[in-house]
Amino acid sequence: MNTRTMRVWAARIALAVLVVGGWQLFTALGWVDKFFYAQPSGIWNRLWDYFEHGTEFGSYPQQIATTMQEALYGFLLGTAVGIVMGVALGLNRFLAQVLDPFIKVVNAIPRIVLGAIFVVAFGVGITPKVLLAAVLVFFIVFFNAFQGVREVDRNVLNNAKVLGASRWHVIRHVTLPSAMTWIIASLHSAFGFAIVGAVVGEVLGAQHGLGLLIKSAQGNFDPDGVFANMFVIAALVLIVEFVIERVERRLLAWRPKTQSESVLV
């Protein structure tokens, strides 16, 4: 770990201590009403209680596993469909023009409405949460994949064709690697949206999950419970983000570092 990295981590820890410490101090002094905004010590106690005694809907690890399962399934489904459609429409201008208004109409539908429709259609099981998460992920990945294909360097494409590369070889060795940078970039925010879709679906109707716990805590005027589950969700997203960063480094190892990336090293 170099000096710059140590300084970054020290600044992060200092900022976290400042925010949490200030939050605890202001609520203890009564400057901020902990009835509405909770208190770090109360949040910690609520988390401890969740892990030690469970919840009214079952063990706490079970609630976390349920939400993660829904988010991961939605993430994988939305990513797969988004990449396929993004690349297909990016390569076929006619098809892109035909489907353009329909894609925009579907994208304009409020996600909370889609979630309600999915719950009515498929019940309170895992399916509506996975579908809602997949929809949120799909549009992020789709637009990035589509734009990535359109932004391929035309000179490289022309050179490949001049050298006798077939259409399939051009797509495999030029178009997809170039678009992969855009696709991987979209995944950094996509999983966060997958979690949002899963949690919103659980709030609308579920038997297990962190969203259900948040809804229950809200109904019981328990801000500690609401914030406790929010922090767990944030931790899950950070863990997956760490994994995505490692995958990105492997898949894009061929790409030379940009000037901005070189400065950050």
Side-chain angles (χ1 to χ4, degrees):
M1 184 179 293
N2 56 38
T3 304
R4 181 182 179 84
T5 303
M6 293 178 62
R7 289 172 58 191
V8 169
W9 275 104
R12 288 174 176 173
I13 294 172
L15 180 59
V17 170
L18 179 64
V19 172
V20 175
W23 186 0
Q24 178 72 27
L25 177 63
F26 293 157
T27 51
L29 294 175
W31 296 353
V32 176
D33 193 341
K34 64 181 180 181
F35 180 79
F36 296 106
Y37 301 102
Q39 190 176 40
S41 59
I43 295 171
W44 173 258
N45 291 334
R46 177 67 70 244
L47 274 175
W48 185 270
D49 182 65
Y50 278 154
F51 280 106
E52 186 175 14
H53 301 108
T55 72
E56 57 188 308
F57 306 107
S59 69
Y60 197 55
Q62 179 189 11
Q63 313 309 313
I64 296 175
T66 298
T67 300
M68 277 296 292
Q69 182 184 31
E70 295 162 351
L72 283 173
Y73 286 169
F75 175 75
L76 295 175
L77 177 61
T79 298
V81 178
I83 292 175
V84 171
M85 287 198 62
V87 172
L89 269 63
L91 294 172
N92 192 321
R93 187 175 296 273
F94 174 77
L95 185 61
Q97 291 175 339
V98 171
L99 296 180
D100 178 69
F102 300 99
I103 293 174
K104 290 179 178 177
V105 167
V106 175
N107 188 36
I109 299 176
R111 303 302 186 256
I112 191 74
V113 175
L114 281 177
I117 293 173
F118 290 152
V119 169
V120 171
F122 300 102
V124 295
I126 188 176
T127 302
K129 289 80 170 178
V130 171
L131 291 177
L132 184 57
V135 169
L136 268 67
V137 171
F138 166 79
F139 284 104
I140 298 174
V141 177
F142 167 77
F143 287 122
N144 276 271
F146 177 81
Q147 194 63 31
V149 172
R150 290 296 180 88
E151 293 294 331
V152 176
D153 191 328
R154 297 300 167 186
N155 292 326
V156 176
L157 287 176
N158 293 332
N159 289 337
K161 292 176 181 177
V162 168
L163 292 173
S166 65
R167 178 174 175 80
W168 167 244
H169 283 92
V170 170
I171 294 174
R172 179 181 176 185
H173 297 291
V174 179
T175 304
L176 288 180
S178 178
M180 190 59 64
T181 302
W182 290 72
I183 295 170
I184 293 294
S186 70
L187 299 184
H188 288 287
S189 56
F191 187 78
F193 279 91
I195 283 282
V196 169
V199 170
V200 169
E202 290 169 352
V203 170
L204 292 173
Q207 297 174 321
H208 301 286
L210 297 176
L212 180 60
L213 291 180
I214 291 175
K215 180 180 180 181
S216 177
Q218 178 190 21
N220 293 325
F221 299 100
D222 178 18
D224 290 332
V226 173
F227 278 97
N229 289 292
M230 287 172 58
F231 282 125
V232 169
I233 291 171
L236 295 175
V237 172
L238 288 177
I239 292 172
V240 176
E241 170 68 15
F242 176 81
V243 174
I244 292 175
E245 285 183 358
R246 295 300 178 273
V247 173
E248 178 182 20
R249 291 181 182 180
R250 281 187 172 275
L251 292 179
L252 302 181
W254 56 269
R255 186 188 62 175
K257 293 179 180 179
T258 63
Q259 183 177 359
S260 59
E261 290 174 331
S262 299
V263 171
L264 291 176
V265 175

